[in-house]
Amino acid sequence: MNLADSAFLRACRRQPVPHTPVWYMRQAGRSLPEYLKVREGVPMLTACSTPDLIVEITMQPVRRYGVDAAIFFSDIVVPLKAIGVDLDIKPGVGPVVAEPIRDAKGLDALRPLEPGDVPYITEAVKALTAELGDTPLIGFAGAPFTLGSYLIEGGPSKNHDRTKAMMYGAPELWHALMEKLSDIVLQHLRIQIAAGASAVQLFDSWVGAVAPDDYREFILPHTRRIFEGVAGVPRIHFGVGTGELLGVLGEAGADVVGVDWRVPLDEAARRIGPGKALQGNLDPAILLAPWEVVERKAREVLRRGEAAEGHVFNLGHGVLPNTDPDQLKRLTDLVHEHTR
């Protein structure tokens, strides 16, 4: 089989598949004992800039679960760190920015990303695609709104107050920030595609915080420009708490819309409209329940996913750290066997 015929890439293109493909957001991570072992004493941003570690961690879930795609091991703030933004990923907290951007002067900290800033990404993607063979590699990036929120708030935020204050109160500054971030994100994705990634996912993790009209005005033009700039590979768009935004997310230009666990896939298909594949959407917390529950809920997701023109089985957000890897292995086998 050649790579283009993989079940994952076929599903993204809404073509017939031998079985419903499956991969998991955060499949490479804290739920795996082998991950904890290689990451011991290694800071997150160090791991994300060390090719051997990136390759090993990306491959771990492929070996263990037999998933239909690998996702590049990295973090959404890596390109910001690479262009010199003073930030760190604090364990148990998340990305923390030393000097938040809150005025026009702050924008000067954001220069364009060059391939030479992230040689470790190119090296790791090339090594991975060689090792993965006919299993696709998904490249990824954080979307401008989510990256912007970290930069403006200075770290994770519950309500994104300062972010919205800039969006509503200083729209020119907001759009200037979004344009700069869009340039960085687009280049980041293109670097991964040039090195061999077969698909990309844009994580707009926090965009569920905005209303549909505000998304349309303040975010959609920038997201659309990113997706137009990486046409040629399947493009996935994902956010959390985006039930009210599914229709407008579908307009942003992705081939696949990721759905979190709050909206059933048949209803999501109705909201998004024709011409898109869907990805999702088992609640990650269900994996902490007994297997009988996982099985019943997974079959329900697959049944509702039949309403979509293409379906990539995934969770509604990332794998939780205390998930039993055996549950994910059984779930992967169940999806493959049930849909074969």
Side-chain angles (χ1 to χ4, degrees), residues 17 29 36 43 47 52 58 76-77 84 87 92 108 130 162 164 179 183 205 208 220 257-258 261 263 272-273 316 333:
V17 288
L36 296 172
D52 293 354
T58 302
I76 63 170
V77 298
L87 61 81
D108 297 340
R162 290 177 182 274
K164 289 181 168 184
E179 279 187 18
D183 290 341
S205 308
L220 180 62
V257 178
W261 66 91
V263 180
I272 293 163
D333 292 344

Side-chain angles (χ1 to χ4, degrees), residues 8 22-29 53-62 67-76 125 128 132 135-141 189 192 197-203 236 238 279 314 318-319:
F8 168 74
V22 51
W23 70 277
Y24 307 109
M25 290 181 276
R26 275 196 220 121
Q27 61 188 16
L53 268 179
I54 297 170
V55 172
E56 169 57 24
I57 293 168
T58 302
M59 290 301 301
Q60 285 174 349
V62 180
V67 284
D68 294 280
I71 176 113
F72 189 71
F73 173 76
S74 189
D75 189 275
I76 63 170
V125 171
L128 274 164
L132 283 161
T135 301
L137 176 68
I138 305 166
F140 81 91
L189 291 173
Q192 293 171 74
S198 339
V200 291
Q201 176 157 314
L202 191 65
F203 282 86
I236 310 168
F238 174 74
Q279 179 173 282
N314 206 315
V319 175

Side-chain angles (χ1 to χ4, degrees), residues 179-200:
E179 279 187 18
K180 282 203 158 197
L181 288 172
S182 297
D183 290 341
I184 292 164
V185 169
L186 187 49
Q187 177 71 311
H188 186 211
L189 291 173
R190 284 175 169 164
I191 288 166
Q192 293 171 74
I193 293 165
S198 339
V200 291

Side-chain angles (χ1 to χ4, degrees), residues 23-319:
W23 70 277
Y24 307 109
M25 290 181 276
R26 275 196 220 121
Q27 61 188 16
R30 293 169 292 180
S31 57
L32 290 173
E34 56 266 42
Y35 169 83
L36 296 172
K37 195 174 168 194
V38 298
R39 269 291 315 279
E40 207 173 338
V42 181
M44 180 64 176
L45 286 169
T46 304
C48 292
S49 55
T50 308
D52 293 354
L53 268 179
I54 297 170
V55 172
E56 169 57 24
I57 293 168
T58 302
M59 290 301 301
Q60 285 174 349
V62 180
R63 294 186 202 117
R64 187 187 266 261
Y65 303 135
V67 284
D68 294 280
I71 176 113
F72 189 71
F73 173 76
S74 189
D75 189 275
I76 63 170
V77 298
V78 162
L80 299 180
K81 181 77 174 176
I83 60 165
V85 175
D86 186 357
L87 61 81
D88 196 16
I89 297 175
K90 299 253 164 79
V93 180
V96 177
V97 179
E99 292 179 30
I101 293 177
R102 292 175 187 160
D103 53 29
K105 191 170 159 292
L107 291 183
D108 297 340
L110 299 178
R111 66 167 176 81
L113 179 73
E114 305 289 343
D117 296 322
V118 284
Y120 44 87
I121 288 182
T122 300
E123 186 182 328
V125 171
K126 285 182 171 171
L128 274 164
T129 49
E131 191 163 335
L132 283 161
D134 55 14
T135 301
L137 176 68
I138 305 166
F140 81 91
F145 176 86
T146 294
L147 292 176
S149 175
Y150 284 122
L151 289 172
I152 297 163
E153 306 286 344
S157 164
K158 198 170 179 189
N159 299 311
H160 312 281
D161 308 344
R162 290 177 182 274
T163 306
K164 289 181 168 184
M166 182 190 291
M167 193 171 82
Y168 295 130
E172 286 185 5
L173 178 60
W174 172 262
H175 284 294
L177 174 60
M178 290 295 102
E179 279 187 18
K180 282 203 158 197
L181 288 172
S182 297
D183 290 341
I184 292 164
V185 169
L186 187 49
Q187 177 71 311
H188 186 211
L189 291 173
R190 284 175 169 164
I191 288 166
Q192 293 171 74
I193 293 165
S198 339
V200 291
Q201 176 157 314
L202 191 65
F203 282 86
D204 212 346
S205 308
W206 309 138
V207 80
V210 303
D213 286 351
D214 294 329
Y215 181 93
R216 205 176 283 283
E217 180 178 352
F218 295 108
I219 300 161
L220 180 62
H222 306 288
T223 311
R224 188 177 270 152
R225 183 161 75 87
I226 292 166
F227 282 130
E228 285 172 355
V230 291
V233 297
R235 300 154 295 179
I236 310 168
H237 195 10
F238 174 74
V240 184
T242 50
E244 295 301 321
L245 298 177
L246 286 171
V248 66
L249 287 184
E251 295 172 32
D255 307 286
V256 185
V257 178
V259 183
D260 79 4
W261 66 91
R262 295 168 178 88
V263 180
L265 288 179
D266 46 356
E267 171 59 18
R270 191 189 67 74
R271 293 184 191 184
I272 293 163
K276 304 287 172 190
L278 299 190
Q279 179 173 282
N281 71 338
L282 187 72
D283 186 338
I286 287 170
L287 288 161
L288 308 179
W291 171 251
E292 308 73 76
V293 180
V294 178
E295 183 172 16
R296 187 178 79 244
K297 294 285 195 178
R299 287 177 187 274
E300 176 77 358
V301 169
L302 289 167
R303 185 181 67 75
R304 290 180 180 270
E306 288 170 9
E309 294 176 28
H311 179 209
V312 176
F313 188 94
N314 206 315
L315 304 179
H317 198 194
V319 175

